[in-house]
Amino acid sequence: MESRTFGKTGKKVFVLGLGTFGHGDAYGGIGKDNSLKVMQYIMNNILVNNPNNAYFLIDTAPKYDSGNVEEWIGEFIKTSGRNNILIATKGGRHIEANRSNEKDFSSEFLKTDLINSLKRLNVDKIFLYQLHNPNYEIIKKGEVFHLLESFRKEGKIEWYGVSINKPEEGIAAIEYCEKNKLSGLAAIQVIYNVLQKNGLDALFQLAKKHEIVIIARETLFRGFLADKYSENTNFENCSEAVKKQIKLYGKDQILFKIHEFKQILKKHNINFMNQAAIKFVISNPNITVAIPGINRLEYVESDLNSANVMLNSKLLEEINKMPDLEKLNL
């Protein structure tokens, strides 16, 4: 698999990593055994043929099944003996039952959150510690970045990043760190896929100028771009993650866009939607690594082979011309 340089860190990373939001209780959930099997399969098939000594990125967060997924990753690292795995986790959301998913970027909470992640992951230092979708005001104020720099000085993290929902949040993070000469910002994590791809050019340009990596999440749009759902799907029985997308964009609009994407692929004799969707993301030179949420053993080989799929320039152009999804006026 192709590898790229992870910005200012200098490390080589594979263009595809593993997003673990779908492990644990999301998307209907998978248990520990299946999660470990997915990770083991990836390591056995990616890292064995690794002439460039590239690293494989696993992205996680305490929020994912209330810390359990971090623990599974920690156990996997310990038992597998693999030393070319990079861990990217996040901080800033409570996982206690009475405050679950509540955002908190206070110094007191982030210090505790980081220590707990280190324990669950069974590591002394985290490669990339990301703020878990703070709002624009938190980023613009900037105090949290000084705290993250202190974590670096203490040897608890190597680099830090921000997971964002809007491009202006990523721009604000880069501008604050550059203005205040804070050197530890290494990555911005964005939503980027066939259906959500526009409006990021200014962020991409600024990130490139300052050697900030772009990590792409939700590459398969919560499974819709893996051809898992259709008009016949009973969405009442789907996971909350899928229901959220339907609430935001509407079932009819999503399925219409999926049909439009399928028609483009059909014209170019492309049979596997999931592979085309993932390859589209990593075909963008502004994206260093994509982290599809592979959460079933039967999906692993197909998703990882996306890196080897060929998409011609005409096909990429047609996909780029597809209008993005528009949020409903709720």
Side-chain angles (χ1 to χ4, degrees):
M1 187 190 295
E2 178 190 355
S3 60
R4 296 172 182 168
T5 302
F6 201 89
K8 63 179 71 171
T9 77
K11 292 187 182 294
K12 289 284 187 180
V13 295
F14 290 108
V15 291
L16 292 181
L18 174 66
T20 58
F21 176 57
H23 293 231
D25 58 2
Y27 301 116
I30 61 173
K32 175 181 175 181
D33 289 346
N34 285 324
S35 177
L36 293 175
K37 285 177 182 177
V38 167
M39 287 186 271
Q40 189 63 59
Y41 184 96
I42 291 172
M43 298 308 120
N44 288 347
N45 289 274
I46 295 295
L47 297 182
V48 290
N49 183 20
N50 186 11
N52 295 323
N53 292 317
Y55 290 84
F56 187 85
L57 184 76
I58 299 180
D59 179 85
T60 191
K63 175 182 178 289
Y64 303 167
D65 204 28
S66 302
N68 286 327
V69 178
E70 280 190 325
E71 288 187 357
W72 302 344
I73 293 169
E75 181 177 325
F76 175 76
I77 293 172
K78 181 179 180 179
T79 58
S80 69
R82 298 289 188 182
N83 58 8
N84 42 4
I85 299 171
L86 297 178
I87 300 299
T89 194
K90 307 179 188 74
R93 295 202 187 188
H94 287 270
I95 62 174
E96 313 95 289
N98 62 329
R99 301 183 69 180
S100 180
N101 207 31
E102 178 185 329
K103 292 184 180 182
D104 187 344
F105 298 97
S106 67
S107 173
E108 180 181 8
F109 178 70
L110 280 176
K111 287 177 180 178
T112 301
D113 208 21
L114 173 57
I115 290 171
N116 289 335
S117 284
L118 287 166
K119 289 178 181 177
R120 286 189 291 261
L121 290 164
N122 195 35
V123 294
D124 296 322
K125 182 186 289 188
I126 291 166
F127 170 68
L128 182 68
Y129 192 66
Q130 303 161 104
L131 300 177
H132 202 162
N133 298 83
N135 61 37
Y136 180 80
E137 288 70 28
I138 293 289
I139 294 172
K140 189 75 173 177
K141 192 174 182 181
E143 291 180 359
V144 68
F145 296 112
H146 296 276
L147 177 64
L148 294 174
E149 283 289 340
S150 73
F151 293 163
R152 292 185 77 207
K153 291 176 182 176
E154 294 167 6
K156 293 183 174 69
I157 66 174
E158 291 186 54
W159 303 92
Y160 54 84
V162 187
S163 178
I164 64 169
N165 291 316
K166 301 176 182 178
E168 54 264 34
E169 296 164 350
I171 290 171
I174 296 172
E175 289 180 340
Y176 185 90
C177 289
E178 289 300 317
K179 180 180 178 181
N180 291 275
K181 295 181 170 51
L182 305 179
S183 60
L185 180 67
I188 303 292
Q189 186 177 136
V190 304
I191 296 172
Y192 187 83
N193 57 57
V194 168
L195 307 180
Q196 299 165 295
K197 58 192 176 301
N198 296 317
L200 291 162
D201 288 348
L203 172 59
F204 287 163
Q205 291 172 16
L206 188 64
K208 183 178 181 180
K209 178 181 178 180
H210 297 290
E211 290 188 284
I212 307 297
V213 162
I214 300 293
I215 300 172
R217 71 180 189 272
E218 298 188 28
T219 53
L220 292 174
F221 192 66
R222 306 291 172 91
F224 281 98
L225 289 168
D227 209 11
K228 289 178 62 178
Y229 307 108
S230 70
E231 288 282 359
N232 298 320
T233 301
N234 183 354
F235 287 102
E236 291 300 317
N237 295 331
C238 289
S239 69
E240 289 303 315
V242 172
K243 290 178 182 177
K244 180 181 178 181
Q245 301 299 66
I246 291 173
K247 182 178 180 180
L248 286 173
Y249 301 102
K251 181 187 73 172
D252 292 341
Q253 182 188 191
I254 294 171
L255 293 178
F256 176 80
K257 292 292 185 185
I258 296 297
H259 175 74
E260 186 178 0
F261 182 43
K262 282 183 175 180
Q263 292 304 110
I264 293 173
L265 297 181
K266 183 178 180 180
K267 185 166 68 171
H268 290 269
N269 297 313
I270 303 293
N271 298 317
F272 299 101
M273 186 196 295
N274 65 312
Q275 292 186 336
I278 294 172
K279 182 66 174 188
F280 169 79
V281 172
I282 58 176
S283 293
N284 188 327
N286 295 294
I287 305 294
T288 297
V289 58
I291 47 171
I294 309 171
N295 69 344
R296 295 290 189 277
L297 197 58
E298 59 265 33
Y299 303 153
V300 178
E301 184 175 2
S302 177
D303 284 356
L304 293 181
N305 282 341
S306 303
N308 302 317
V309 171
M310 299 299 294
L311 301 183
N312 63 54
S313 58
K314 180 63 176 175
L315 171 58
L316 292 172
E317 182 182 349
E318 290 184 39
I319 296 172
N320 273 310
K321 285 182 177 178
M322 285 178 56
D324 279 2
L325 287 169
E326 295 183 5
K327 288 186 177 180
L328 301 177
N329 294 319
L330 301 176

